[in-house]
Amino acid sequence: MDSKKHPSRSALIKAARDGSTLFASHLQGCQSCRLLFEMSRQLDAANQEPLQQSSAVLAARIRAIPLLQATRRILDRVTGRATADSWSQLPAMALRDGSAGLERRLVLQADDVRLELVAERTVDDWEFVARIYEHNKVADQYVLKAGSRTVVPREEGFYHWSATRPPKTIRLLGQKLQLDFEKLSWTSAMTS
Amino acid sequence: MARREPAGTAEIWKRVIGGDSRAWGELVDRFEPLVFTVARRVGLEIGQAEDCAQNVWLSLYRNRKAIRDPERIPGWLTQTTRRRAIRMARQADRIRTDPLSQSQASRDVLPDQELLRLEKQAIVEAAIDCLDPRCRKLVRALFFSDQDKSYRQIATELGIKPNSLGPIRSRCLDRLRRLLEAMDYR
């Protein structure tokens, strides 16, 4: 075989995977083919069906294990309150409607920690999205407790969950602090 | 948030022990598909496989201070997952075996050699994920496509001139090789 002539890509990859020395003399003098050959051999282990991905929810829970384990200790407690509430702007009759599409935006604040929450009533349940900021930067080091429900952060620090009833209590558990916010009333929207 | 350059398992583990929760996230991102795949390959349904995976990771975290050889963590993950998944599968009556021959059944269901290959696959896939999108597409087209495409076809698909493919290929493969080295791939 002419050692200067480049073998085809498929022949090179096959030789690498089979452990063949057919192109040994060419590879000695050709860096480009040698790199392709070596990479083919190295990557052969992955030349099967891709690994399966578990759900995003599971991945988020597993990533949050250190946080969930840390929050089992007794923590210093701080109490916070709502500093903004879209429902405080609405007339009472609008809240009594309680139909699907009803939305509530809340800002809860405790020290330098701010929780921004959007709650939306759908046909079947309530959908929630929250984000936590500490010193005005997104913080994903907290476990959010909405009633008895534990929510861990997902990508980019968003907390998602849904429930048949909105939570009366919201708590944030950090590594050193527990932040409890004042009780929330959703009564007007739940009368329908 | 600046993305950290990928590192070997031992280096990531050192940061986990130091309390760096982001390091734990890196480890999970790298090996969670491996754990889940092993659980599924044993025969667990998706929900069972997810339970198994969560327990395995919880066990790793709780026993983190007892891990003496962090480079062997991928092996710990696959062996532990296989063991737990088989136990769960037996409880669900998926595998009918003689209880006296449990260890043999483990190797039969998913042999050690296949576990090793899966561990390597996890690192390769993680390294490829660290490439920029164009390099990622190129590597997959070169090595993992079931179609034997010509360089010209690959160049067209990537939207580059055929003459540019050679240098781009060299750059991408070199980057991949360095990523695999950084991740202690052997």
Side-chain angles (χ1 to χ4, degrees):
Chain A
M1 165 166 239
D2 178 357
S3 65
K4 292 197 172 95
K5 191 176 170 181
H6 296 294
S8 71
R9 189 179 89 251
S10 53
L12 206 55
I13 290 174
K14 186 174 185 311
R17 288 176 177 159
D18 293 345
S20 164
T21 57
L22 182 61
F23 305 116
S25 58
H26 174 80
L27 293 176
Q28 275 184 350
C30 179
Q31 189 187 6
S32 169
C33 286
R34 194 165 59 244
L35 184 56
L36 188 67
F37 183 88
E38 282 168 7
M39 290 309 305
S40 302
R41 213 162 41 182
Q42 286 205 300
L43 301 181
D44 191 38
N47 189 31
Q48 305 272 342
E49 272 196 37
L51 297 176
Q52 298 180 49
Q53 300 286 333
S54 55
S55 65
V57 170
L58 175 71
R61 278 201 76 88
I62 292 173
R63 271 191 227 105
I65 281 174
L67 192 54
L68 289 166
Q69 292 291 296
T71 57
R72 293 166 81 182
R73 296 195 306 269
I74 295 171
L75 304 166
D76 291 334
R77 290 186 181 187
V78 173
T79 303
R81 61 184 186 84
T83 56
D85 182 353
S86 62
W87 278 9
S88 65
Q89 319 284 330
L90 295 175
M93 197 150 329
L95 294 181
R96 274 188 226 117
D97 183 347
S99 55
L102 188 67
E103 186 182 271
R104 187 178 190 180
R105 291 175 176 268
L106 276 166
V107 178
L108 306 174
Q109 186 96 30
D111 275 5
D112 293 314
V113 178
R114 184 173 83 251
L115 169 72
E116 294 184 0
L117 173 67
V118 178
E120 185 185 354
R121 179 143 187 187
T122 65
V123 172
D124 297 317
D125 56 17
W126 286 82
E127 301 273 339
F128 301 92
V129 178
R131 216 177 194 193
I132 300 169
Y133 298 84
E134 190 162 4
H135 304 294
N136 290 320
K137 287 184 185 162
V138 173
D140 59 1
Q141 301 297 311
Y142 288 92
V143 171
L144 187 155
K145 295 276 288 180
S148 58
R149 181 81 170 262
T150 300
V151 188
V152 297
R154 295 207 212 164
E155 304 245 344
E156 298 186 27
F158 285 104
Y159 297 73
H160 295 261
W161 76 100
S162 58
T164 48
R165 297 172 80 82
K168 289 184 187 165
T169 58
I170 289 188
R171 172 179 288 171
L172 298 182
L173 302 176
Q175 302 233 351
K176 295 175 182 163
L177 271 186
Q178 174 174 314
L179 294 93
D180 291 305
F181 296 101
E182 59 186 2
K183 276 199 174 163
L184 300 172
S185 171
W186 306 77
T187 309
S188 300
M190 288 163 65
T191 54
S192 66
Chain B
M1 207 179 303
R3 193 171 176 170
R4 194 186 271 266
E5 272 292 289
T9 305
E11 196 184 312
I12 296 173
W13 190 251
K14 204 170 146 186
R15 289 167 36 223
V16 167
I17 297 300
D20 184 345
S21 59
R22 292 209 158 83
W24 174 260
E26 282 174 46
L27 201 70
V28 172
D29 287 346
R30 188 174 294 184
F31 294 121
E32 166 47 21
L34 172 66
V35 170
F36 186 67
T37 299
V38 169
R40 290 282 283 148
R41 288 277 300 269
V42 166
L44 296 182
E45 303 281 359
I46 291 176
Q48 289 180 306
E50 292 202 341
D51 283 345
C52 179
Q54 185 167 306
N55 285 329
V56 167
W57 284 104
L58 190 57
S59 184
L60 176 66
Y61 187 77
R62 284 182 173 159
N63 295 299
R64 63 194 181 282
K65 291 185 180 161
I67 300 284
R68 295 280 166 252
D69 191 354
E71 283 186 13
R72 297 173 66 85
I73 282 173
W76 186 97
L77 286 169
T78 52
Q79 302 270 354
T80 305
T81 305
R82 180 177 64 182
R83 199 166 47 244
R84 289 200 182 184
I86 286 177
R87 200 181 318 142
M88 286 176 72
R90 282 187 183 140
Q91 285 166 1
D93 203 30
R94 278 186 193 280
I95 303 172
R96 296 186 185 84
T97 59
D98 173 1
L100 294 174
S101 59
Q102 277 186 21
S103 59
Q104 185 60 41
S106 286
R107 286 193 291 277
D108 287 347
V109 168
L110 205 51
D112 289 347
Q113 200 170 3
E114 179 60 5
L115 287 188
L116 272 171
R117 188 197 66 74
L118 288 169
E119 288 162 37
K120 286 184 158 190
Q121 183 172 354
I123 295 179
V124 167
E125 288 190 6
I128 292 173
D129 279 345
C130 289
L131 295 171
D132 64 68
R134 188 167 67 177
C135 280
R136 217 179 299 145
K137 270 180 101 170
L138 177 59
V139 165
R140 287 191 176 132
L142 288 175
F143 298 106
F144 303 115
S145 172
D146 51 9
Q147 300 165 31
D148 193 10
K149 292 180 185 168
S150 66
Y151 280 123
R152 184 169 287 275
Q153 281 175 302
I154 293 173
T156 304
E157 283 177 12
L158 291 176
I160 58 178
K161 293 179 187 162
N163 286 348
S164 304
L165 186 60
I168 292 172
R169 186 193 79 169
S170 291
R171 185 178 62 74
C172 291
L173 293 186
D174 190 55
R175 170 75 178 140
L176 181 57
R177 185 180 52 77
R178 284 185 281 114
L179 281 166
L180 290 171
E181 268 175 28
M183 292 176 173
D184 293 335
Y185 182 76
R186 287 183 199 93

